Structure formats: C-alpha cells, structure tokens
Amino acid sequence: MIRKLLVSLFLLVSISGLHAEDGSRLWLRQDGTANATVECLLHSLVLDKAQAELKQFWKGNPVSLQLFSDAEHVALGREGYTIRTSGENIVLGSVSEAGLLYAAYHLLRLQAMGEDIASLDIRERPAYDVRILNHWDNLDGTIERGYAGHSLWKWEELPGTVSSRYEAYARANASIGINATVLNNVNASPEMLSTDYLQKVKVLADIFRPYNIKVYLSVNFASPMVLGKLSTADPLDKNVSAWWKAKVQEIYSLIPDFGGFLVKANSEGQPGPCDYHRTHAEGANMMAEALKPYGGIVMWRAFVYSPSDNDRAKQAYLEFQPLDGKFLDNVIVQVKNGPIDFQPREPYSPLFGAMKHTPLMVEFQVTQEYLGHSNHLAYLAPMWKEFFDYVAPNTIQAVSGVANIGDEANWCGNDLAQANWYAFGRLAWNPELTSEAIVQEWLKQTFTTDTKFTGPMEDMMMRSREAVVDYMMPLGLHHIFAWGHHYGPEPWCIIPGARPDWLPSYYHQADKEGLGFDRSHTGSNAVAQYPESLAKQFDSIDTCPEEFLLWFHHVPWKHQMKSGATLWDELCRHYEQGLKETRSFCQTWKEMKPYVDAERYNAIAERLQIQANDAVWWKDACLLYFQTFSKMPFPKDVERPVYKLKKLMKVKLPISNYERPTPEMLPRDGKIPAYKE
Ligand code: GCW
C-alpha cells in the first residue's frame, strides 16, 4: 500500500515536473549536460573555471575566451569585460582572467533567464574593486545574528576535511560578482590568527582562488597580548607593530593573495587603540603599515558609540570626522548605512560626504537582524537603493554586506532570503541596477521564467521591506526591539542597570505630549551633521520627510500629518497597512503554488504565515503601549487588537543572538505560548 502510494506520488511529481527542492542550488539551477564548444588558448585556475562552467552549462553557439589589452578593455578595468556576437561565435573579452570568469557567468545568466542571445554587445565594469561579504561567524560554529543554522566553516574538521559546500559557496558568489569574504565575526577571537587557524584559512583561500575570491580576516586588536604574550597592544609600541608585521608575513607566506583585515575596535567592549589614548587612525595605520608591502588593506569600522550623554546617532561622526585625512591610503573606513544600527529604515549616516580625504565603504546588513530574522520576507534591495539615493555611489570605495548564510540546506534559512544575497552581489557590482530588475533576474533563475509567477512575485517582494517598516517601526521609529535577540517588539523594555541607549525608550521617547526623538536644533541637533540643505529639511517638522519624522522630531500626538490625519491615527494606519500587506503575501503565495515545487512552496508558506502572525503581535504591542501615552482611541478603520498589552509584556522568547524563533515560541491567534526556560 505504502509502496503504491509512493510510486503514484513519484509519478505525480515527475509529471508536474516540480521535483522537491531543498533550495541548495540557489539561483544556479541549469542542468549541466551542455558540452559546449569553448575555445581558450590559455590556462590558469580562473580561466579553467570559466571554461568549465561554459562547457557544462552553455547551450548556444561556440564561445571563445580572449584576453585583450586594447584601450576599450583597459578602460573596463581589471574585472570588466565584453560579450559580443561575432559571426557564429560569441567572444568574451577582458584584460584579465577574472573578467572572463564574470563574463561567463553573465552569459549563463542570460541563458537561464531566457533572454534573447542572438546578437550580443555587452560591456560591463564593476563599480567597486572590493565587493565583500562579512561573516559574523564564531570559531565555535555559532553565527552572531545568523539565522540559517551554524557556520559554513567547519573549523574543527579543517584543514583535513573539506566540505563540498566551500566550493559551492565560492561559485555562488562569483556568479554574482562578489570577490571577497571576511570569514569571521568582527567580535573577533584572537585565536583566528593562531598558526593552527591560519592553516585552516589557507585551505579555504585555495578553494576560493579559482573563483577570484580573496579572503580577509576580522582581527582582535589585543591579539599581540593574547597570542604574543606582550604586555600591551598599544599601536605606537614598537614590539606591538613588530608583532603585527611578523603575523602579516606569516599570513602571506600561506596565502599570497590575502586581502587584509577588518577591525571592530573600541566598540561594544572590543579592545582598540583608544585603550592607550591613541586614535582610531593611529590604530588603523599601524596595521596598514604591516599590510602595505603585500598590497593588503585595513577595513576599519566606524561603528562606535560610547556610554556618553551624546545622542548615539551622532557618535560615529563625532569620533571619526575629526580624523579625516589622517588614515594611510590602504585603510578604508567602513561605515554602516545608517547612523544607528541596521534598522528597518534609517536616514543615511552623515559620515558619508563628511570625510572627503578618507576612503569610505558602506556596510549593509544582509542578515535580517532587525527585519524578522529568516522568518520574515523583506527584500532588501530597495533599502540599499534608498541609501544610494542619498550617497552617490562614486563617493565610496567599496561595498560590504553582513552575510545571511549558514549551513542549512537552503543557505539562508528562508528560500526567499536568498534574494538578498543575490541582490547584494548585483548591487555591489552595479549600484545603478534597479531593485525590480534584480528581483526579476533572481526569480527567473531561482524558480521559473513564467511571467504568471515572476509578475506577482516581483510585486510582492518589492513591497515587502516597506511592509516590515510599517508593522514594526513606521514614520521614523527605531530600535524598539526586544532586548537581546532583536526579533519581537518590546517598546516598554526596562533592564535595570542597562545602558540607556540600549533601551527602546531612549529611541521612541513616548510621553503624554507625543512620540519620537528630537534631533532637531531644539534637541540633540544631529541634523547639523548633514549637508546644509538636508539639515534644513530634516530640522523642520514641516519639511522633514514623514518616513523620518519620528527619527528627527518629538511629534505631538495630534500633529497634523500630510494626509490630514493626526500623528496617532496615521501611526495606527501604518501598523494596519503593514499587517494587511503580510496577509496579502500569504494569499499571493497560495496563488503561486502551481509554479513551485512542494518543498519550497511549503517552507515559504510557513514562513509567510509566521510573518503575518508576528505583524499582529507587533501592531498590538506597539499601538497598545503607545496608546497608554496618547490616550487616543483607535481609528474606526483599524482592526481592534487581538492581544492584551499585559500579556504581550510577558512574552519572552527563549532564544539567543544565534537563533530564529520557531512557530511554537511565537504569539499566534491571540494565544501566547507559555514561556519555558
Ligand atoms: O548590530 C549590532 C549587533 C551586534 C554586532 C554589532 C556590530 C557583531 O547587535 O551583534 O556585533 O552591531 O555591528 O558590531
């Protein structure tokens, strides 16, 4: 009986063509039986890879890979390329083998998307030389803010045992133009630089090299003390700089193309140069000097905020702007996109544009620490494009993204979150691409080119990040998350003894008058860190864009919004709108069922349902809590709360920074599961 059932199930699945899928193939799903004619007269690790990819997957006319040194190709830079139809052949051209690898992936992408490839004339040049993922992976296999299982890097097995996923990872990155990776958490263990670990890193670097991917490491500023047993890590101490020089030499003897260091210093308890009354520039330059002879760079993070009276949103600027021009030329200061911390919406960090004599790079967060972990759908390209609307792409040197990748079969914990890895790579290559174009590419390669699928899905994904903003923190609200895990709402959170700027009330400032943080000239004056015209716009409650209103202003509950409604009513409607969106996502997804294999269909349906339930939780928690200040009734067109505030205030998710909540832990249908230790 069971056998019969299995056989008919098998037949059903094969007839429909929708085989069960675990998502592990990402957007690289073409079948590898092409046996194409590919001509390439030279050989190298990277060229052989490009050739092998085409041979296996390209189903069109013969392809020839050619290195050029003419003006056109020189102008496209080391990793740029051309793709041209020439008679019966297609010629891929570049000054370097890396460019040819990217050209190969471009051609295969066109094929996968079902594009017209009859007559090609393509020129590409990446906007940045460094397009880098930051893994916040710890040596014990956990991932800080990672929601897709454990780390991909099996340190305990390396260097002897090599997982096949290392190469799959490199290939996926190369296919979207990512050319660099920081393997470990910025909260770095000094152990990372031990000889034992460097041997393991070497194995990964060797696997990534044919895919044109360079390895970088996060380093702990106190490493010379912990590993070298020195009595200080003072950057101006000559034993300290000698230690770093020797360590760098050791690294390059193992990994000749090592990329450099990423450093989180004097931030959230990490050691740094300020411990010795030295500046960030002095710390960064000491490391940069050690790396310089080998062509390595230092990416020095500007994510700092000390426990001072200053508005947290101002602090990175206050500490770093005066150091403008003081960094060596192989240092890039890495700045988060916004001034606080990867919130669903932030204005851009005012450091961009304020350090004219210092190379800067942006840090985006691909992992959804503050956007529902891997449970919620939030397609992030529109958020990153918003950053580029304010910060001209050519004013920064590089782009980094905190990875959302772990060892779960589908890499990202949610099949739809793969779109964010994809979009990060594509935007780092070309920030001018539209979010719509990128999601179309991703949908066609990952699911199907059928427009009955890609049309509604583009629409849903394009709306998804705004939906998260609406049901979590509309109108410029920020950081009202639950303590620690940053998943659910806790605008009321009080932790005795905690730093005030780690508590939601610091950010929302709700009181009987109104809501929001006054950063105008009457408040912290953070607006003054922006260029004059913007500062003026943000400073006035009348001209400040409403999406940032509560970021920059403490706004009376009855303040009249552009729609004519009061702030309170408008706030309620945003929460409601976000919730409605999540329900419509569930509905759209149901309609997509015929186009998707059962495994991915069910996995995504489950996640979307969690998101819709969580949106009720967010809406009720925030509105019921803020209502205790506004004392105003819910507008008639807004759904009544399902939960009671008192009960919501008791929800405590038993999760750490490393987990995503499971459905059983979450409030649903008006029921709050009992808290279990
Ligand atoms: O976003 C916050 C996170 C920390 C993180 C820190 C940082 C790696 O909550 O987990 O630490 O920022 O970016 O350094």
PDB file of all heavy atoms in Angstrom, residues 209-220:
ATOM      1  N   ARG A 209      40.179  30.746  -4.552  1.00  0.00           N
ATOM      2  CA  ARG A 209      41.028  31.453  -5.534  1.00  0.00           C
ATOM      3  C   ARG A 209      40.574  31.276  -6.979  1.00  0.00           C
ATOM      4  O   ARG A 209      40.477  32.260  -7.719  1.00  0.00           O
ATOM      5  CB  ARG A 209      42.486  31.023  -5.351  1.00  0.00           C
ATOM      6  CG  ARG A 209      43.482  31.885  -6.108  1.00  0.00           C
ATOM      7  CD  ARG A 209      44.915  31.638  -5.658  1.00  0.00           C
ATOM      8  NE  ARG A 209      45.138  32.013  -4.273  1.00  0.00           N
ATOM      9  CZ  ARG A 209      45.421  31.148  -3.288  1.00  0.00           C
ATOM     10  NH1 ARG A 209      45.516  29.853  -3.543  1.00  0.00           N
ATOM     11  NH2 ARG A 209      45.594  31.582  -2.058  1.00  0.00           N
ATOM     12  N   PRO A 210      40.257  30.067  -7.424  1.00  0.00           N
ATOM     13  CA  PRO A 210      39.821  29.924  -8.826  1.00  0.00           C
ATOM     14  C   PRO A 210      38.535  30.694  -9.125  1.00  0.00           C
ATOM     15  O   PRO A 210      38.189  30.904 -10.287  1.00  0.00           O
ATOM     16  CB  PRO A 210      39.574  28.416  -8.969  1.00  0.00           C
ATOM     17  CG  PRO A 210      40.340  27.787  -7.851  1.00  0.00           C
ATOM     18  CD  PRO A 210      40.375  28.778  -6.740  1.00  0.00           C
ATOM     19  N   TYR A 211      37.840  31.108  -8.090  1.00  0.00           N
ATOM     20  CA  TYR A 211      36.612  31.891  -8.285  1.00  0.00           C
ATOM     21  C   TYR A 211      36.867  33.381  -8.082  1.00  0.00           C
ATOM     22  O   TYR A 211      35.939  34.154  -7.891  1.00  0.00           O
ATOM     23  CB  TYR A 211      35.515  31.391  -7.329  1.00  0.00           C
ATOM     24  CG  TYR A 211      35.043  29.999  -7.698  1.00  0.00           C
ATOM     25  CD1 TYR A 211      35.624  28.871  -7.130  1.00  0.00           C
ATOM     26  CD2 TYR A 211      34.048  29.813  -8.652  1.00  0.00           C
ATOM     27  CE1 TYR A 211      35.213  27.594  -7.487  1.00  0.00           C
ATOM     28  CE2 TYR A 211      33.623  28.545  -9.019  1.00  0.00           C
ATOM     29  CZ  TYR A 211      34.216  27.436  -8.430  1.00  0.00           C
ATOM     30  OH  TYR A 211      33.802  26.182  -8.795  1.00  0.00           O
ATOM     31  N   ASN A 212      38.135  33.749  -8.089  1.00  0.00           N
ATOM     32  CA  ASN A 212      38.526  35.158  -7.923  1.00  0.00           C
ATOM     33  C   ASN A 212      38.040  35.754  -6.603  1.00  0.00           C
ATOM     34  O   ASN A 212      37.642  36.910  -6.541  1.00  0.00           O
ATOM     35  CB  ASN A 212      38.018  35.999  -9.105  1.00  0.00           C
ATOM     36  CG  ASN A 212      38.665  37.379  -9.137  1.00  0.00           C
ATOM     37  OD1 ASN A 212      39.883  37.507  -8.981  1.00  0.00           O
ATOM     38  ND2 ASN A 212      37.867  38.416  -9.310  1.00  0.00           N
ATOM     39  N   ILE A 213      38.049  34.964  -5.569  1.00  0.00           N
ATOM     40  CA  ILE A 213      37.599  35.462  -4.267  1.00  0.00           C
ATOM     41  C   ILE A 213      38.771  35.502  -3.288  1.00  0.00           C
ATOM     42  O   ILE A 213      39.463  34.504  -3.090  1.00  0.00           O
ATOM     43  CB  ILE A 213      36.472  34.576  -3.718  1.00  0.00           C
ATOM     44  CG1 ILE A 213      35.240  34.784  -4.608  1.00  0.00           C
ATOM     45  CG2 ILE A 213      36.154  34.921  -2.267  1.00  0.00           C
ATOM     46  CD1 ILE A 213      34.112  33.879  -4.315  1.00  0.00           C
ATOM     47  N   LYS A 214      38.971  36.689  -2.723  1.00  0.00           N
ATOM     48  CA  LYS A 214      40.046  36.867  -1.748  1.00  0.00           C
ATOM     49  C   LYS A 214      39.521  36.715  -0.336  1.00  0.00           C
ATOM     50  O   LYS A 214      38.411  37.163  -0.029  1.00  0.00           O
ATOM     51  CB  LYS A 214      40.611  38.285  -1.863  1.00  0.00           C
ATOM     52  CG  LYS A 214      41.649  38.442  -2.920  1.00  0.00           C
ATOM     53  CD  LYS A 214      42.340  39.783  -2.747  1.00  0.00           C
ATOM     54  CE  LYS A 214      43.280  40.008  -3.917  1.00  0.00           C
ATOM     55  NZ  LYS A 214      43.969  41.279  -3.822  1.00  0.00           N
ATOM     56  N   VAL A 215      40.362  36.171   0.497  1.00  0.00           N
ATOM     57  CA  VAL A 215      39.996  36.003   1.899  1.00  0.00           C
ATOM     58  C   VAL A 215      40.561  37.136   2.749  1.00  0.00           C
ATOM     59  O   VAL A 215      41.708  37.550   2.566  1.00  0.00           O
ATOM     60  CB  VAL A 215      40.519  34.636   2.398  1.00  0.00           C
ATOM     61  CG1 VAL A 215      40.538  34.578   3.908  1.00  0.00           C
ATOM     62  CG2 VAL A 215      39.651  33.516   1.847  1.00  0.00           C
ATOM     63  N   TYR A 216      39.735  37.614   3.667  1.00  0.00           N
ATOM     64  CA  TYR A 216      40.113  38.616   4.665  1.00  0.00           C
ATOM     65  C   TYR A 216      39.767  38.048   6.041  1.00  0.00           C
ATOM     66  O   TYR A 216      38.917  37.158   6.145  1.00  0.00           O
ATOM     67  CB  TYR A 216      39.315  39.919   4.487  1.00  0.00           C
ATOM     68  CG  TYR A 216      39.582  40.697   3.217  1.00  0.00           C
ATOM     69  CD1 TYR A 216      39.233  40.181   1.965  1.00  0.00           C
ATOM     70  CD2 TYR A 216      40.153  41.955   3.267  1.00  0.00           C
ATOM     71  CE1 TYR A 216      39.475  40.912   0.802  1.00  0.00           C
ATOM     72  CE2 TYR A 216      40.394  42.698   2.110  1.00  0.00           C
ATOM     73  CZ  TYR A 216      40.048  42.164   0.881  1.00  0.00           C
ATOM     74  OH  TYR A 216      40.275  42.885  -0.266  1.00  0.00           O
ATOM     75  N   LEU A 217      40.358  38.615   7.077  1.00  0.00           N
ATOM     76  CA  LEU A 217      40.008  38.171   8.432  1.00  0.00           C
ATOM     77  C   LEU A 217      39.676  39.364   9.315  1.00  0.00           C
ATOM     78  O   LEU A 217      40.284  40.434   9.190  1.00  0.00           O
ATOM     79  CB  LEU A 217      41.177  37.396   9.057  1.00  0.00           C
ATOM     80  CG  LEU A 217      41.519  36.050   8.407  1.00  0.00           C
ATOM     81  CD1 LEU A 217      42.772  35.457   9.051  1.00  0.00           C
ATOM     82  CD2 LEU A 217      40.351  35.059   8.510  1.00  0.00           C
ATOM     83  N   SER A 218      38.718  39.153  10.219  1.00  0.00           N
ATOM     84  CA  SER A 218      38.497  40.120  11.300  1.00  0.00           C
ATOM     85  C   SER A 218      39.554  39.847  12.347  1.00  0.00           C
ATOM     86  O   SER A 218      39.825  38.688  12.675  1.00  0.00           O
ATOM     87  CB  SER A 218      37.132  39.912  11.951  1.00  0.00           C
ATOM     88  OG  SER A 218      36.096  40.217  11.056  1.00  0.00           O
ATOM     89  N   VAL A 219      40.133  40.915  12.878  1.00  0.00           N
ATOM     90  CA  VAL A 219      41.158  40.693  13.897  1.00  0.00           C
ATOM     91  C   VAL A 219      40.826  41.426  15.189  1.00  0.00           C
ATOM     92  O   VAL A 219      40.196  42.487  15.184  1.00  0.00           O
ATOM     93  CB  VAL A 219      42.565  41.114  13.408  1.00  0.00           C
ATOM     94  CG1 VAL A 219      42.983  40.264  12.220  1.00  0.00           C
ATOM     95  CG2 VAL A 219      42.643  42.589  13.079  1.00  0.00           C
ATOM     96  N   ASN A 220      41.267  40.814  16.265  1.00  0.00           N
ATOM     97  CA  ASN A 220      41.088  41.393  17.591  1.00  0.00           C
ATOM     98  C   ASN A 220      42.303  42.267  17.886  1.00  0.00           C
ATOM     99  O   ASN A 220      43.447  41.816  17.745  1.00  0.00           O
ATOM    100  CB  ASN A 220      40.975  40.243  18.601  1.00  0.00           C
ATOM    101  CG  ASN A 220      40.712  40.732  20.003  1.00  0.00           C
ATOM    102  OD1 ASN A 220      41.510  41.478  20.562  1.00  0.00           O
ATOM    103  ND2 ASN A 220      39.593  40.305  20.568  1.00  0.00           N
TER     104      ASN A 220
END
